[in-house]
Amino acid sequence: MISRFPSTSLLPVVLASALLVAAPTPAFSAKHTKPHAAAHKNKAAAPTEPAMTTDANGQSVPVLANKAWVLMDFNTGQLLASSNPDEPLPPASLTKMMTSYLVEQGLKSGKLKPDDKVTMSESAWCRGGKDGDSCMFVPLNAQASLMDMLRGVVIASGNDASKALAEHIGGSEPGFVAMMNAEAKKLGMSKTQFANAAGLPDPNNKASARDLAVLAAAIIRNSAEYYPIYAEREFTYNGIKQGNRNALLYTDPTVDGLKTGHTEDAGYCLTASSKRNGMRLISVIMNADSKQARADQTRVLFNWGYANFEEASPAQAGATLTTAKVTYGVAPTVNAGIAQAWTLVVPKGQAAAVQTAISLNPALEAPIAKGAVIGKIVATANGKQLGEAPVIALADVERAGFFERLRQRVAGWFSK
């Protein structure tokens, strides 16, 4: 086969065409007032072994490049591992978890209604997403339903929705911030101080990783009927579709919340929760270097936590664990047990090794009310105490009459 080359006269045209095709396309940038929904088509990177270190308890834990992180068991509130968990740091839009929580609790109590109309005031209005603002894009002076505004906070991370809700509920944003701080104190968030409803930069707006995990647990537990909103992947309002910024919702089916955050001072933050085989974990990442880093670090924590820990239930609520002797009662004994489900987190493989011991208060005397604490139960494994729970009377024991008490006293003398 003979190859034929173009004639000399055509060579310049061919070369020019080739150069045009090979040349890189110029990059253009433009400001968009209406953001598109995030595609989130990228899949999770192949798992790699994280760098590990040993903590103060001799436990091998992951090394993560951020300022603070925690991994908490939801059922017990136990920190499985952490780094710098109690330093107050800028939380960025993780602040909005408290805003949404107060809205949810208002709905739950009936003080707020899903179809309440919330006005977008000029002070709350988002002027086109300038300076990278996160916005729901409710028009100035327009109204949106309270449930739409809630989704605007949780999914779109709208600063405008957060401020509008704050004004609607608290009368003003400062009034709402006072409510936020009161609720933080009630939840035991001792290292947290809120200064605004959206998490905008403010030297007085700080929270610790541990506190944010506590807040996430409160949302999951106390706002259960509204918690599914945190797993919704997109929200459309006013013709604008926005994707949830929690990348793990698209790559890990066990993740169902909660909130992302980012400012220059706060870095990239993420509070997330995952449930696998009935065990729920909560993670908080603060001040990671990128969106990808906060997602990857969260994935590392969840995989590490589920690989190294399991839950154990040393005793069942309401079951008779022992029988306590009672003096001067119409009955000589009372069944004893625990009032609520008791869960412990133990190293993987040690659930079967958990043992319990019960100690009762001495000289129990009637009357005894059902539910009264009459002792405690202690759980151990391999000689190490794991936790304890109060032991209660499972029934009422009324005080006997005078002659029966006298009979028991005399019988007691002769039994000594």
Side-chain angles (χ1 to χ4, degrees):
M1 181 176 178
I2 301 174
S3 298
R4 298 186 180 276
F5 293 89
S7 64
T8 305
S9 61
L10 293 176
L11 191 57
V13 176
V14 174
L15 291 173
S17 299
L19 290 171
L20 182 61
V21 172
T25 304
F28 294 95
S29 62
K31 292 185 178 180
H32 298 279
T33 58
K34 295 185 177 182
H36 300 288
H40 293 288
K41 293 182 180 179
N42 57 312
K43 295 184 178 180
T48 58
E49 289 296 325
M52 306 294 289
T53 189
T54 302
D55 66 10
N57 298 318
Q59 178 177 247
S60 181
V61 299
V63 176
L64 303 178
N66 56 48
K67 285 190 176 180
W69 61 266
V70 301
L71 183 65
M72 174 186 283
D73 175 68
F74 167 70
N75 283 327
T76 64
Q78 178 181 338
L79 286 195
L80 305 185
S82 64
S83 176
N84 204 20
D86 295 315
E87 180 180 353
L89 295 168
S93 286
L94 300 189
T95 299
K96 294 186 175 83
M97 289 196 299
M98 180 58 84
T99 299
S100 59
Y101 179 65
L102 288 177
V103 173
E104 293 151 8
Q105 291 305 292
L107 285 165
K108 187 176 177 180
S109 70
K111 294 179 180 179
L112 301 174
K113 303 297 182 184
D115 56 356
D116 284 350
K117 296 302 181 183
V118 181
T119 301
M120 184 57 64
S121 68
E122 185 171 2
S123 59
W125 178 48
C126 183
R127 295 162 176 78
K130 66 180 180 62
D131 300 326
D133 282 355
S134 299
C135 304
M136 178 179 167
F137 294 101
V138 179
L140 176 62
N141 295 324
Q143 291 185 320
S145 73
L146 187 137
M147 284 304 299
D148 276 346
M149 286 283 195
L150 178 59
R151 284 184 162 85
V153 172
V154 173
I155 304 170
S157 196
N159 295 335
D160 49 355
S162 300
K163 295 175 186 177
L165 283 168
E167 293 171 353
H168 180 79
I169 298 170
S172 66
E173 187 172 10
F176 186 77
V177 169
M179 296 171 63
M180 295 171 72
N181 286 320
E183 189 65 29
K185 184 176 181 180
K186 180 180 175 182
L187 293 175
M189 299 170 63
S190 60
K191 304 297 183 182
T192 293
Q193 179 72 29
F194 294 115
N196 57 68
L200 297 175
D202 187 303
N204 296 316
N205 199 70
K206 297 287 183 69
S208 72
R210 187 197 303 266
D211 284 356
L212 292 167
V214 168
L215 176 56
I219 291 172
I220 297 168
R221 181 178 294 109
N222 301 334
S223 299
E225 56 267 59
Y226 303 104
Y227 182 60
I229 295 174
Y230 294 80
E232 293 180 11
R233 296 185 180 182
E234 61 183 36
F235 174 60
T236 301
Y237 181 81
N238 197 24
I240 305 168
K241 182 187 289 186
Q242 299 194 62
N244 196 312
R245 293 164 171 81
N246 184 354
L248 293 180
L249 293 175
Y250 305 85
T251 60
D252 185 342
T254 72
V255 172
D256 54 14
L258 293 155
K259 191 73 190 71
T260 63
H262 172 253
T263 64
E264 184 175 350
D265 288 341
Y268 291 87
C269 306
L270 173 59
T271 298
S273 183
S274 166
K275 188 174 184 180
R276 303 181 190 176
N277 299 320
M279 183 177 182
R280 179 179 288 281
L281 299 180
I282 295 170
S283 70
V284 178
I285 300 293
M286 302 191 75
N287 202 271
D289 292 336
S290 66
K291 295 178 183 178
Q292 186 68 47
R294 71 186 177 191
D296 289 344
Q297 291 173 16
T298 301
R299 192 176 294 111
V300 164
L301 286 181
F302 285 150
N303 290 339
W304 175 83
Y306 288 117
N308 286 276
F309 296 92
E310 62 182 339
E311 290 184 335
S313 298
Q316 299 302 313
T320 298
L321 302 179
T322 189
T323 300
K325 184 178 179 181
V326 179
T327 58
Y328 304 139
V330 295
T333 61
V334 64
N335 291 339
I338 58 174
Q340 300 177 338
W342 187 28
T343 303
L344 298 172
V345 178
V346 298
K348 203 69 171 278
Q350 290 191 16
V354 175
Q355 298 179 328
T356 58
I358 297 175
S359 60
L360 297 173
N361 299 342
L364 292 174
E365 184 177 318
I368 295 176
K370 181 180 180 180
V373 175
I374 59 174
K376 67 178 181 179
I377 180 171
V378 177
T380 60
N382 300 320
K384 180 181 178 181
Q385 182 171 326
L386 302 176
E388 63 181 55
V391 169
I392 64 165
L394 297 178
D396 292 323
V397 179
E398 295 180 3
R399 190 169 178 84
F402 173 78
F403 290 106
E404 174 60 20
R405 297 200 310 272
L406 180 60
R407 186 195 68 77
Q408 290 184 29
R409 177 172 293 185
V410 171
W413 291 341
F414 286 101
S415 66
K416 291 181 180 179

